[in-house]
Amino acid sequence: MIKIIIMLGIAASIRGGVGIGRRLSFAIRKESLTWYRNLLVQNQSDSFNYTPSVVCCFLWAQRPGVVLENFARHMSTASLELRTNNDFVRFSITKDGYSAKEKKSMKKVPRYVKMSKKAKLNELRLYRLKAKKKMNSPNPEVRIRYKLEKAKRKEAWLIEKLRKLEVPKTPGEAYDPEILTDEEKHYFKRTGEKKKNYVPVGRRGVFGGVVLNMHLHWKKHETVKVTCKPCKPGQIHEYAEELARLSKGIVIDIRPDNTIIFYRGKNYVQPKIMSPPDTLSKDKALEKYRYEQSLEHTSQFIEKLEKELENYQEHVVRYKKRKEAAVDSAIADDGLSQITNQS
């Protein structure tokens, strides 16, 4: 039986495989769909894809003697899909598997409409007008909320900019830190204090140029001083750890005047790339510093506005209570005056 079905399918495909029809139109009695429903229930699948030739041979084997008119004439290479939607079995005859109604019901992707220059100017003018109304509003709460929303938008924008400037730390080469005795540390500390060679760390912080300068000093000197100005409280220790990781040097001493003394090591070998790849450039480091400063000031301004808004809301609550108390006292005085007049 299977061989007969396969042969009939091949014959139908040879007969009807020429040309591409617009739509497969044929009439099948309801009894002809019984086999497909049973097969669907047995396999428990959602859809079957068959070519028209295979459908023809299966129907011929299932209902011998049925003449499928107009089927061979409109035969094409398009697939016939048996679909189930909401527990209802149906054939989908279209080439892409969707009917015309389903295509219309699909949501169309909105096309991007390019705004003209005049429309952009009108939109900006409207935005400025709304902002001006909020800034000049007689209600203090409206003014405070407008400033707070604007500051929060700026804070989110600055955080996104700083996130883009972050450089992922690449796993460095494993190295064995040298163990120094107390006498050696004291000697290198005295040597570093006497010598005048130093590397400045300014507002840009630690970037590739700082590490490059340290390696250049280590060509002729065993130690180098790193001065950090300006430096926040506790930031000097962060700089020391970061520079030790990037330069593979040894921290000898951290002085109170924000100065770090580094020792290059006994087995020091100058690297081929003296500026590490996981650091920022000079321009990017300055850009990051500016964003950090702006973010710090914006965060302080947001705290100030939130406190101001809270104080204003407390003032409104106290004013309402005072007003209610004044009304209650006025009502009580009117009642007493009426009682005295009646007596």
Side-chain angles (χ1 to χ4, degrees), residues 111-152:
R111 293 180 62 187
Y112 175 74
V113 180
K114 189 176 180 180
M115 294 178 65
S116 62
K117 189 176 180 180
K118 188 175 181 181
K120 288 181 181 178
L121 290 173
N122 291 336
E123 189 176 358
L124 287 172
R125 194 178 290 112
L126 181 64
Y127 176 76
R128 288 169 186 160
L129 183 63
K130 288 181 179 179
K132 191 175 181 180
K133 284 183 179 179
K134 289 180 180 179
M135 285 293 295
N136 299 329
S137 175
N139 190 356
E141 187 174 359
V142 175
R143 297 197 300 268
I144 295 170
R145 287 189 181 277
Y146 170 72
K147 292 179 183 177
L148 190 61
E149 290 174 3
K150 190 175 179 181
K152 285 183 177 179

Side-chain angles (χ1 to χ4, degrees), residues 216-254:
L216 292 175
H217 279 285
W218 279 340
K219 281 183 179 181
K220 298 181 180 180
H221 306 280
E222 290 182 330
T223 58
V224 65
K225 285 188 291 187
V226 178
T227 59
C228 305
K229 293 180 182 180
C231 190
K232 297 178 183 177
Q235 197 174 17
I236 188 70
H237 297 280
E238 296 178 5
Y239 285 164
E241 292 178 3
E242 187 71 12
L243 288 171
R245 182 184 69 84
L246 293 171
S247 65
K248 306 293 187 297
I250 302 170
V251 179
I252 299 298
D253 186 27
I254 299 175

Side-chain angles (χ1 to χ4, degrees), residues 5 59 69 72 110 158 184 190 211 237 249 278 286 288 341:
I5 292 171
L59 290 176
E69 297 179 357
L158 290 169
E184 289 175 336
R190 296 285 293 174
V211 184
H237 297 280
D278 57 342
L286 181 60
K288 183 180 179 181
N341 290 331

Side-chain angles (χ1 to χ4, degrees), residues 14 18 28 30 70 110 130 135 137 179 182 208 213-214 239 291 306:
I14 294 170
V18 180
I28 303 174
K30 292 182 179 179
N70 300 325
K130 288 181 179 179
M135 285 293 295
S137 175
I179 299 172
D182 294 338
N213 289 335
M214 290 175 67
Y239 285 164
Y291 286 143
E306 287 177 348

